[in-house]
């Protein structure tokens, strides 16, 4: 997959969603005419019609973004663990599914829910938000590189493991300090303080470093080189820029933290 394939697939999902919503609105209207369904039909149908319009607009946006991009998929140049820069794109999904691209548009990997059953689409977002989840970090070939176990509740508490199931660390949000910011600590496998977190709640621009001052990553939205912008046409595409000194475990932990703060924001 490359960035063009992502646009095409997302456009198709939006198109199907638009038609499904429109068909449901038509079905409710037919039931109302037949007397099976009572009540204000406009109030019943309005959400489905509005969602259909929004989804169709999304279809047109992603279809236009795919135009002009090469159809051939770019080959990934390096393993995910060796990437310095990753750009994140969100696929329509019941929870989190974020694709990680190289600047040349090639797919480097992805983070997705390890339970992608169809019934997850039927669970309201407000309910799904507090349910426990298990996300996986995969490279472009589908190899599992990391696992993130989320507990119950609204506050972020994540257990991070590598692809072999070995504990890497945990992230726990401090609720008393997280009203307008995200505050907490990524602890190491032995429970020691590892990567402190204190960032703005809008998640537009932040850096993460270890307790010893070693820089790991910078996360930015709304900025990228012009060359990248020719492929990634969403202005607020998140860009993760890792330092040369960042090790694989640190990258897995950082991506787990990103999954924690971004899940349900883009699905």
């Amino acid at each position: 997959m490359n960035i063009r394939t992502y646009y095409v697939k997302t456009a198709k999902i939006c198109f199907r969603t638009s038609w499904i919503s429109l068909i449901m609105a038509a079905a409710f209207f037919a039931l109302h005419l037949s007397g099976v369904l009572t009540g204000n039909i406009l109030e019943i149908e309005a959400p489905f019609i509005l969602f259909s319009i929004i989804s169709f607009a999304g279809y047109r946006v992603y279809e236009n973004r795919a135009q002009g991009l090469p159809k051939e998929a770019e080959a990934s140049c390096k393993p995910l663990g060796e990437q310095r820069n990753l750009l994140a794109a969100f696929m329509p999904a019941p929870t989190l599914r974020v694709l990680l691209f190289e600047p040349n548009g090639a797919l480097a990997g992805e983070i997705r829910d390890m339970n992608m059953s169809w019934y997850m689409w039927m669970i309201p977002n407000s309910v799904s938000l507090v349910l426990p989840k298990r996300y996986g970090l995969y490279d472009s070939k589908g190899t599992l590189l990391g696992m993130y176990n989320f507990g119950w509740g609204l506050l972020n508490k994540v257990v991070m493991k590598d692809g072999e199931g070995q504990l890497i660390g945990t992230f726990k949000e401090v609720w008393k300090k997280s009203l307008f910011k995200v505050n907490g600590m990524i602890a190491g496998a032995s429970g020691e303080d590892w990567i402190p977190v204190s960032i703005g709640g809008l998640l537009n621009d932040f850096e993460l470093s270890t307790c010893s001052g070693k820089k790991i990553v910078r996360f930015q939205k709304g900025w990228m080189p012009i060359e990248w912008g020719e492929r990634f046409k969403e202005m607020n595409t998140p860009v993760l820029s890792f330092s040369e000194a960042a090790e694989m475990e640190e990258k897995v932990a950082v991506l787990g933290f990103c999954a924690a703060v971004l899940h349900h924001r883009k699905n």
Side-chain angles (χ1 to χ4, degrees):
M1 181 188 291
N2 62 5
I3 187 62
R4 182 185 183 277
T5 310
Y6 159 73
Y7 290 144
V8 170
K9 285 189 174 183
T10 304
K12 289 180 179 178
I13 292 173
C14 291
F15 184 78
R16 291 168 186 160
T17 303
S18 177
W19 272 103
I20 290 171
S21 298
L22 194 60
I23 291 170
M24 291 182 69
F28 282 124
F29 184 72
L31 290 172
H32 181 73
L33 288 179
S34 64
V36 175
L37 188 65
T38 60
N40 190 323
I41 189 61
L42 291 179
E43 291 182 357
I44 296 172
E45 290 205 326
F48 294 97
I49 294 174
L50 180 61
F51 190 66
S52 177
I53 293 172
I54 293 173
S55 296
F56 188 80
Y59 156 69
R60 294 295 298 164
V61 167
Y62 284 104
E63 186 181 52
N64 290 334
R65 287 176 179 174
Q67 294 177 358
L69 295 178
K71 295 183 179 181
E72 296 78 14
E74 296 281 353
S76 183
C77 298
K78 299 178 181 178
L80 181 60
E82 298 178 13
Q83 298 288 343
R84 287 285 311 279
N85 296 293
L86 293 172
L87 295 94
F90 297 85
M91 286 286 288
T95 53
L96 178 75
R97 186 179 180 188
V98 56
L99 304 183
L100 303 171
F101 289 98
E102 298 180 32
N104 67 354
L107 180 67
E110 68 174 303
I111 302 171
R112 67 172 184 263
D113 198 325
M114 299 179 77
N115 178 17
M116 296 294 285
S117 302
W118 65 269
Y119 63 81
M120 293 294 293
W121 289 95
M122 310 300 293
I123 300 175
N125 208 32
S126 57
V127 175
S128 178
L129 184 63
V130 300
L131 296 178
K133 297 175 190 67
R134 190 162 61 120
Y135 292 126
L137 171 65
Y138 301 86
D139 65 13
S140 59
K141 298 179 180 179
T143 303
L144 182 65
L145 303 178
M147 292 181 286
Y148 311 117
N149 296 327
F150 289 69
W152 291 85
L154 292 173
L155 287 178
N156 290 309
K157 185 176 181 181
V158 190
V159 177
M160 307 168 179
K161 299 180 181 180
D162 62 19
E164 303 296 325
Q166 298 298 313
L167 181 65
I168 291 178
T170 57
F171 169 65
K172 186 176 182 180
E173 192 173 0
V174 180
W175 66 270
K176 291 183 178 180
K177 299 180 180 180
S178 295
L179 185 59
F180 300 106
K181 300 180 70 176
V182 179
N183 284 276
M185 176 66 69
I186 300 175
S190 301
E192 73 283 4
D193 290 350
W194 185 17
I195 304 172
V197 174
S198 181
I199 61 178
L202 296 178
L203 305 176
N204 287 325
D205 190 344
F206 63 84
E207 292 185 357
L208 293 177
S209 303
T210 65
C211 292
S212 62
K214 176 184 175 182
K215 292 184 179 181
I216 300 174
V217 70
R218 182 173 184 181
F219 178 101
Q220 290 177 285
K221 290 182 184 177
W223 170 92
M224 69 178 72
I226 295 175
E227 181 185 356
W228 299 5
E230 293 175 355
R231 302 181 182 90
F232 298 88
K233 300 182 180 182
E234 168 60 52
M235 290 182 59
N236 287 322
T237 297
V239 179
L240 292 95
S241 301
F242 291 96
S243 70
E244 290 185 0
E247 300 175 4
M248 184 59 187
E249 283 194 350
E250 293 167 338
K251 292 182 178 181
V252 172
V254 164
L255 290 171
F257 166 76
C258 289
V261 296
L262 293 175
H263 89 112
H264 282 85
R265 293 200 176 205
K266 282 287 185 176
N267 60 297

